Amino acid sequence: MLDEAGHGVLDEAGRGGRGGVVREAAGVQAVVELAGVRVVRDGVAILDGIDWTVGPGQRWVVLGPNGSGKTTLLLVAAARLVPTAGRVRLLGAELGRADWRAVRARIGLTSGALARR
């Protein structure tokens, strides 16, 4: 879902509006592409069926209550956490098919929640 300024906003279910995924125009490579991402901890699904595409130049706000999986989503999107299931492509590299350490070196992430880890 896009706000008035054209920035992406995920709803509380982790969908980007109108059917789940906001896609870029044909031929433009996504910066972040998550498909069917699931993260399970201690038998509990923290994320389930997340589809999210961020195109070049897009800005997103991830909103949700405490414990809804926002930090987990960002950790996956920053190559800091491998999901239990699903496909992750970051900066053109697919998880499991690229040197993830090299991908991480190209991603900046800052968060108060991450500072406490």
Side-chain angles (χ1 to χ4, degrees):
M1 160 183 329
L2 299 179
D3 66 12
E4 305 79 38
H7 302 132
V9 180
L10 286 179
D11 68 15
E12 288 183 10
R15 293 183 300 267
R18 294 189 316 268
V21 181
V22 175
R23 297 275 181 207
E24 281 296 298
V28 176
Q29 185 178 48
V31 176
V32 174
E33 187 175 359
L34 308 180
V37 167
R38 177 177 173 87
V39 175
V40 176
R41 289 268 199 265
D42 298 324
V44 176
I46 297 171
L47 300 177
D48 192 19
I50 300 296
D51 296 325
W52 185 28
T53 301
V54 178
Q58 287 185 336
R59 293 180 179 95
W60 286 75
V61 174
V62 180
L63 303 172
N66 290 345
S68 64
K70 299 178 301 292
T71 299
T72 301
L73 175 67
L74 294 177
L75 288 171
V76 171
R80 301 296 192 265
L81 176 67
V82 176
T84 307
R87 186 171 66 88
V88 178
R89 285 184 62 86
L90 303 173
L91 303 171
E94 186 160 350
L95 178 62
R97 298 178 185 246
D99 180 355
W100 224 229
R101 293 168 298 185
V103 174
R104 283 184 193 127
R106 298 176 58 202
I107 298 172
L109 177 65
T110 184
S111 164
L114 298 178
R116 291 187 291 274
R117 295 180 127 236

